[in-house]
């Protein structure tokens, strides 16, 4: 059962997204996800650069997101660019992680994404920060046969989704102010632990390490 905060967030998000035409651009299939979870994510690319089809996609992984792995695809060449973490964190099996994925790049497809009328999903898995109410922005660039289509714009001020009664309006204002809003995820407080083992409350170390 969803709590009042989750219901209010869903209502604000629905109002904002139905009010903004820009939502037809790059978006995640689910925009609210449980904070602290290891989550399967899918970015949908819905059109090309005007009349030019898409032949590459780049996604920038934001700070705080770790343990990224990319879904196997046989129609695209997939590459990742890594970045060093400020300090090592424990990963699966207690192995210390010193770097994480910084960018995912899909290129050289067997067939391009048409300029319109078709979409394709680009999937990856990641461990999300345990920060309910935060928004994560994934800067994305669609490369086309002619030109590119960047979705890299960020809000000028933070948009906390929890505790702000005007969140929906602020999201509308941001999405309306630019033709290239970066795709985002909103972290919400999970109703239960992702896995049926471990402590009732994840430790701060575990919350940032998975």
């Amino acid at each position: 059962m969803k709590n009042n905060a989750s219901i209010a967030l869903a209502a604000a998000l629905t109002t904002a997204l139905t009010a903004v035409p820009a939502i037809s651009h790059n978006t995640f299939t689910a925009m609210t996800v449980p904070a602290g979870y290891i989550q399967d994510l899918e970015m949908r690319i819905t059109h090309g650069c005007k009349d030019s089809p898409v032949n590459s996609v780049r996604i920038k992984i934001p700070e705080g997101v770790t343990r990224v792995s990319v879904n196997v695809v046989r129609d695209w060449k997939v590459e990742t660019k890594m970045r060093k973490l400020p300090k090592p964190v424990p990963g699966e099996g207690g192995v210390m992680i010193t770097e994480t994925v910084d960018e995912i790049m899909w290129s050289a497809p067997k067939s391009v994404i048409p300029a319109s009328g078709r979409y394709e999903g680009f999937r990856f898995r990641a461990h999300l920060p345990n920060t309910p109410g935060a928004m994560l922005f994934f800067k994305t660039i669609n490369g086309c046969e002619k030109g590119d289509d960047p979705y890299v714009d960020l809000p000028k001020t933070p948009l906390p989704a929890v505790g702000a009664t005007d969140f929906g309006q602020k999201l509308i204002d941001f999405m309306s102010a630019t033709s290239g809003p970066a795709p985002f995820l909103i972290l919400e407080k999970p109703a239960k632990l992702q896995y049926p083992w471990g402590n009732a409350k994840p430790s701060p170390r575990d919350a940032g390490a998975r």
Side-chain angles (χ1 to χ4, degrees), residues 70-205:
V70 188
N71 183 65
V72 173
V73 288
R74 293 173 175 82
D75 293 336
W76 294 78
K77 177 183 177 182
V78 182
E79 300 174 278
T80 55
K81 176 182 176 182
M82 307 298 290
R83 68 168 179 262
K84 293 288 185 181
L85 292 171
K87 61 180 181 180
V89 297
E92 188 174 1
V95 176
M96 298 303 290
I97 298 173
T98 60
E99 61 180 5
T100 189
V101 172
D102 184 55
E103 289 186 15
I104 309 172
M105 297 154 282
W106 292 265
S107 63
K110 292 183 179 179
S111 59
V112 297
I113 303 174
S116 62
R118 299 287 189 276
Y119 76 86
E120 187 159 348
F122 292 80
R123 293 181 288 173
F124 59 99
R125 173 175 290 185
H127 182 249
L128 305 173
N130 190 18
T131 51
M135 292 186 71
L136 298 177
F137 290 89
F138 292 72
K139 295 181 179 180
T140 306
I141 298 177
N142 303 347
C144 300
E145 291 183 348
K146 296 180 181 179
D148 56 40
D149 198 15
Y151 296 96
V152 298
D153 293 341
L154 305 176
K156 294 182 179 179
T157 58
L159 294 178
V162 172
T165 57
D166 58 349
F167 167 71
Q169 185 58 52
K170 286 184 176 180
L171 184 58
I172 291 173
D173 293 343
F174 161 61
M175 298 287 286
S176 301
T178 173
S179 60
F184 60 84
L185 294 174
I186 298 174
L187 303 180
E188 61 180 354
K189 184 177 180 180
K192 61 181 180 179
L193 293 174
Q194 183 171 20
Y195 302 111
W197 55 80
N199 298 326
K201 286 188 176 181
S203 69
R205 185 193 71 176

Side-chain angles (χ1 to χ4, degrees), residues 55-76:
N55 59 14
S56 69
V57 175
R58 291 172 54 198
I59 298 178
K60 172 77 170 179
I61 304 300
E63 295 292 333
V65 177
T66 58
R67 291 177 63 177
V68 176
S69 58
V70 188
N71 183 65
V72 173
V73 288
R74 293 173 175 82
D75 293 336
W76 294 78

